[in-house]
Amino acid sequence: MGMMTFSSITFFNFSSYFTSLALLTSFYSIYFVLISANVSGFDSLIQLLPPSASLRNAIRKSETIFRVDDFGAVGDGFTDDTNSFKDVWHMACSSPSRSKIVIPTGYVFLVRPINFGGPCRSKVSLRIEGTILAPKDPEVWNGLNPRRWLYFFKVKHLTVEGGGNIDGMGQEWWARSCKVNRTNPCHHAPTALTFHKCNNLKVRNIKLLNSQQMHLVFNDCKHVAVSKLVILAPADSPNTDAIHISSCTKVNVKDCTIGTGDDCISIVGNSSRIKVNNIVCAPGHGISIGSLGKSNSWGQVYNVHVNGAFISNTENGVRIKTWQGGSGYVRKVTFKNVWMENVSNPIIIDQYYCDSMEPCANQTSNIGIDKVSFVGIKGTSATEKAITIACSDSFPCRKLYLEDVQLTSFSGDYTTSFCWQAYGSTSGLNYPPPCFPCNDNILRPTVSSNWIRSI
């Protein structure tokens, strides 16, 4: 384990000590004056103190800084720096004061699969200014969990930021994928960055590149804020979803630029109160809810609000996808103010989804889809069918709503809508003409502003 340098730790300062001592002396003098004056409550005392004298603010400013290079990390892109990362995490997570781990700019740190486990004694922030690099060779994962590379578990109040890079070096994984070459066996591949059971989490201002499979996964997390991410991988890289949200609640994703070989954002089972704003998605598979119901499983997604996106040259635009045979529901979803450019399937609900090497058997679907709105979806479609809503025979889609949807052909031809077991209402000018068999005579679905303000 490396030694901490003078720049890496907060030191005792005699000047600050005597200033604090004088402050506390004044504090207690005022306190006893208030007691003798029979002034009730502690708030009155706090208000008499200047803002700079707040003990709470002083505590917040106390932060211990740990640099990975102080713990032996070389950062030349060839030397294995995994143990240095383990050591610095152990020190930061066990620190009684707020801690910041710095991955300095100008360095490339080669890191094997690693777990960053909590709970920690205090709040931790990870500042990635340089680059974290994955091993190229998939054999490094032999005997380890093949789905993980950088894995955070049960860490509360974590912040990950810094403007640096996380590079999954996924090229060899993609070459071995059965989706690239059907003669290859189908195997799992790692997610570059996983947060599992991490609450009150912030991830912002970092770049994720070329993940082995999914780039960023949130699983069973609450109160998550994601912003200003750049996530990039080739359009033909298999299963490289950018942001994957599973079993989470109160997640806010905004101001992200994404281009990968799969969903730009995917929201799956048991997730709720998800807010997505100002997303660029090009290329990729669009913004998706699902898939749900695989292998006859149960899942629910509700209270999802997407407002503001630019989607270009993708396989899908905004999509809900479920497998036959599953159960559960998708409810209270709004896609709003989305601009499409040369997008295949700009609006699609597919309850016959089948991502399998073999044809999927016809089964009864018990996944209900209702109260889904498409508002202000405009631009150009790469396919004739700009709107496809194919719902379950046993559970038709209900209370769908289209308002001011304008999707013309990128090539200058005409566009059409297709509906199956889909019922809803429309408002404003819509093209192509909606295909609902009748107007449900329902009011426009609304999204409660209370839960939006709470995330």
Side-chain angles (χ1 to χ4, degrees), residues 202-367:
K202 297 177 182 177
V203 183
R204 60 197 180 200
N205 191 29
I206 58 173
K207 182 181 291 184
L208 292 97
L209 307 169
N210 302 318
S211 181
Q212 305 92 333
Q213 203 165 82
M214 293 183 179
H215 285 79
L216 176 59
V217 168
F218 301 100
N219 183 23
D220 199 8
C221 299
K222 298 178 181 178
H223 297 283
V224 179
V226 182
S227 62
K228 297 182 179 179
L229 303 187
V230 176
I231 305 177
L232 301 174
D236 59 355
S237 57
N239 296 114
T240 51
D241 297 57
I243 300 174
H244 184 76
I245 300 168
S246 174
S247 300
C248 294
T249 186
K250 295 184 180 179
V251 180
N252 186 351
V253 181
K254 65 179 182 178
D255 303 330
C256 296
T257 300
I258 297 168
T260 69
D262 212 305
D263 293 331
C264 291
I265 297 176
S266 53
I267 304 166
V268 300
N270 309 317
S271 292
S272 62
R273 302 174 77 174
I274 312 298
K275 184 180 178 184
V276 178
N277 293 98
N278 302 329
I279 303 298
V280 174
C281 173
H285 291 185
I287 298 173
S288 295
I289 293 177
S291 63
L292 302 178
K294 186 177 182 179
S295 302
N296 295 7
S297 62
W298 185 91
Q300 63 179 18
V301 173
Y302 62 95
N303 281 350
V304 176
H305 188 65
V306 178
N307 187 359
F310 173 68
I311 302 177
S312 176
N313 294 292
T314 57
E315 288 194 10
N316 303 283
V318 289
R319 173 170 62 158
I320 299 173
K321 50 183 177 177
T322 70
W323 294 72
Q324 296 183 73
S327 58
Y329 61 85
V330 177
R331 185 176 299 155
K332 295 182 180 179
V333 175
T334 300
F335 298 103
K336 185 177 181 180
N337 297 328
V338 180
W339 182 262
M340 308 278 184
E341 181 183 73
N342 195 33
V343 171
S344 301
N345 309 306
I347 293 176
I348 178 169
I349 297 177
D350 181 7
Q351 293 211 264
Y352 301 88
Y353 180 74
C354 178
D355 183 20
S356 172
M357 302 290 287
E358 303 296 331
C360 295
N362 289 328
Q363 300 182 67
T364 299
S365 177
N366 296 315
I367 297 179

Side-chain angles (χ1 to χ4, degrees), residues 164-186:
N165 304 320
I166 296 175
D167 192 337
M169 300 294 291
Q171 290 82 354
E172 183 58 33
W173 290 92
W174 308 334
R176 299 186 184 193
S177 170
C178 60
K179 286 193 172 183
V180 172
N181 185 342
R182 293 201 170 194
T183 63
N184 291 333
C186 293

Side-chain angles (χ1 to χ4, degrees), residues 126-130 160-164 204-206:
L126 177 62
R127 186 165 183 84
I128 304 171
E129 298 174 354
V160 179
E161 59 185 354
R204 60 197 180 200
N205 191 29
I206 58 173

